[in-house]
Amino acid sequence: MSDKPQDNICPPDKIVFDADRGEYICTETGEVIEERIIDQGPEWRAFTPEEKEKRSRVGGPLNQTIHDRGLSTLIDWKDKDAIGRNLDPKRRLEVLRWRKWQIRARIQSSIDRNLAQAMNELERIGNLLGLPKSVKDEAALIYRKAVEKGLVRGRSIESVVAASIYASCRRIKIARTLDEIAQYTKANRKEVARCYRLLLRELNVEVPVSDPKDYVTRIGSLLGLSGATMKLAAEILEKAKNAGLTAGKDPAGLAAAAIYIAALMNDERRTQKEIAQVAGVTEVTVRNRYKELIQELKIEIQNQ
C-alpha cells in the first residue's frame, strides 16, 4: 500500500450539496463524495407561505408575553369534533368540564398566578400605548427576572409591570415617558419610578441615555408635520448635544422645543400649547427650552 498522499482529495470550499439527489459532489472533479443523505426537512412540499403554514404540524414559537410561554395546549370553544360536526349536548357538557380543568391545570403555583396576571396587564398597557411586540417581549423578560429574584413580593404587580415596560422602551429606544405609562395604571408615577430604579439596581439592566431625537418622529407625526421639519428638528438637537445643552434636561421637552423652532423656520406653525400637549410636557418647559436653544445656538427666526 502506497504512503503517498492522495491527489484527488477535494478542497472543502469546492464541495456542494445537491438537495434533489441527496449527494455531496466535488465541483472540481465531479466526484460524488457522499450519497443517500437523509433529508432533514418535511416530507411535504409547499409553494406559497399560506400552503406552508397550513401543512406545518409544529407549534408556534415561544411567546414571552404568555405566562407559560405558550407551551401548554388549549381546548377550543368551537364545540366541534375533528371532522367539523357539532357535538351533541351530552358531549358538549363533557368537553366543558375538560376545558374548565385544563384551564385550572395551566395555573398551579403562586408564581404561575402572578405571571398570568402580570402578562395580562402587560398586554393591556402595551396595546393602549401602541407598543410593538419586541418591546412587550423585552418587558416580559425583565418582569420574569424580577419574579425570579423575588422583587415583586410586597409590591404592586401593576407598578412592576409598568416599570418593566418603561425599561424596555428605553432599551429599544421607543419614545415613551414615565408619565404616559403610569397614566394607564392605578399606581402613581412616583411608585412606578421607584420600581424602575429597583429593577435597574437589582437586575443590572443596562439602559442607554434617553436621546431627544427619539421623540422627534413621534411628536412630529402626531402634529402632522412634514419630514423636512422633523429632519431639521433632529439637526437642531444634534447641534445642541454637541454644544452640551442636552445634559440634565428632559428629552421630551428638548424635542418639543426643537420641533417648535423647526416648524417656525419651515412655516408649519404650531402653538406651544399644541406641541406641549402632544409631547406630554408643560408650555413653560417648551418656552424655556426654546429660549435656550435659539440663544445658545444663535438661531434666527424670521417673522415670529
Side-chain angles (χ1 to χ4, degrees):
M1 190 173 178
S2 175
D3 293 333
K4 291 182 180 180
Q6 294 182 356
D7 296 329
N8 60 347
I9 294 176
C10 186
D13 60 328
K14 301 294 182 182
I15 299 172
V16 295
F17 177 62
D18 186 341
D20 293 331
R21 296 173 179 272
E23 297 173 342
Y24 282 103
I25 302 168
C26 179
T27 54
E28 270 194 356
T29 63
E31 178 190 2
V32 176
I33 297 168
E34 194 175 350
E35 60 182 347
R36 296 184 182 179
I37 306 296
I38 296 172
D39 185 7
Q40 302 291 337
E43 82 286 358
W44 43 262
R45 292 192 302 169
F47 303 99
T48 63
E50 290 78 15
E51 276 187 4
K52 187 175 181 180
E53 188 177 346
K54 190 175 180 182
R55 295 184 181 185
S56 177
R57 294 190 294 272
V58 298
L62 293 179
N63 189 345
Q64 297 294 343
T65 58
I66 300 175
H67 78 279
D68 56 9
R69 294 184 172 89
L71 289 172
S72 61
T73 55
L74 288 171
I75 299 176
D76 205 349
W77 291 87
K78 290 181 181 177
D79 289 331
K80 293 180 182 293
D81 61 14
I83 304 173
R85 295 176 301 192
N86 289 326
L87 300 176
D88 58 71
K90 185 179 177 183
R91 176 65 69 176
R92 197 175 298 166
L93 285 172
E94 190 177 351
V95 172
L96 186 66
R97 284 196 297 274
W98 294 348
R99 192 181 292 121
K100 183 169 66 177
W101 281 108
Q102 196 270 342
I103 291 170
R104 288 177 182 174
R106 283 184 69 195
I107 303 172
Q108 294 180 339
S109 67
S110 60
I111 291 177
D112 284 338
R113 286 192 294 274
N114 183 303
L115 286 172
Q117 186 181 339
M119 294 305 120
N120 287 335
E121 188 65 21
L122 191 153
E123 193 69 24
R124 181 185 71 82
I125 297 172
N127 290 339
L128 288 170
L129 290 167
L131 298 175
K133 187 177 184 299
S134 58
V135 174
K136 290 190 273 189
D137 285 346
E138 181 70 20
L141 278 171
I142 292 170
Y143 185 86
R144 287 177 187 277
K145 289 178 183 176
V147 170
E148 287 171 10
K149 288 202 88 174
L151 303 180
V152 185
R153 193 176 294 113
R155 293 180 177 85
S156 160
I157 290 176
E158 262 192 329
S159 301
V160 183
V161 167
S164 302
I165 291 172
Y166 182 61
S168 175
C169 288
R170 290 283 298 271
R171 281 175 63 82
I172 300 179
K173 295 195 172 184
I174 299 292
R176 292 294 186 277
T177 62
L178 203 56
D179 291 305
E180 284 181 87
I181 296 169
Q183 72 177 344
Y184 293 115
T185 68
K186 293 174 186 174
N188 56 34
R189 183 190 187 281
K190 191 176 179 181
E191 180 61 29
V192 176
R194 191 183 293 119
C195 290
Y196 171 67
R197 288 192 296 270
L198 177 75
L199 293 179
L200 295 188
R201 187 172 64 251
E202 297 294 331
L203 301 181
N204 297 320
V205 179
E206 292 184 6
V207 175
V209 177
S210 190
D211 192 341
K213 287 192 289 187
D214 295 338
Y215 291 81
V216 168
T217 307
R218 180 166 165 268
I219 297 171
S221 300
L222 291 170
L223 290 168
L225 297 174
S226 65
T229 299
M230 287 189 270
K231 183 183 176 185
L232 180 57
E235 288 171 358
I236 292 169
L237 288 170
E238 186 62 33
K239 289 177 184 175
K241 185 179 179 181
N242 294 335
L245 301 176
T246 60
K249 304 287 196 317
D250 177 18
L254 282 166
I259 282 176
Y260 180 63
I261 295 168
L264 288 174
M265 292 173 73
N266 282 357
D267 202 24
E268 294 185 52
R269 294 173 180 273
R270 299 290 187 277
T271 64
Q272 290 180 0
K273 185 178 180 181
E274 285 180 286
I275 295 173
Q277 285 177 340
V278 170
V281 296
T282 63
E283 288 180 64
V284 177
T285 301
V286 177
R287 192 153 47 248
N288 290 342
R289 296 296 87 81
Y290 161 72
K291 288 176 182 176
E292 286 174 13
L293 290 176
I294 59 171
Q295 285 172 9
E296 297 295 332
L297 300 178
K298 295 179 173 53
I299 298 171
E300 292 184 6
I301 298 173
Q302 302 295 329
N303 303 320
Q304 282 197 63

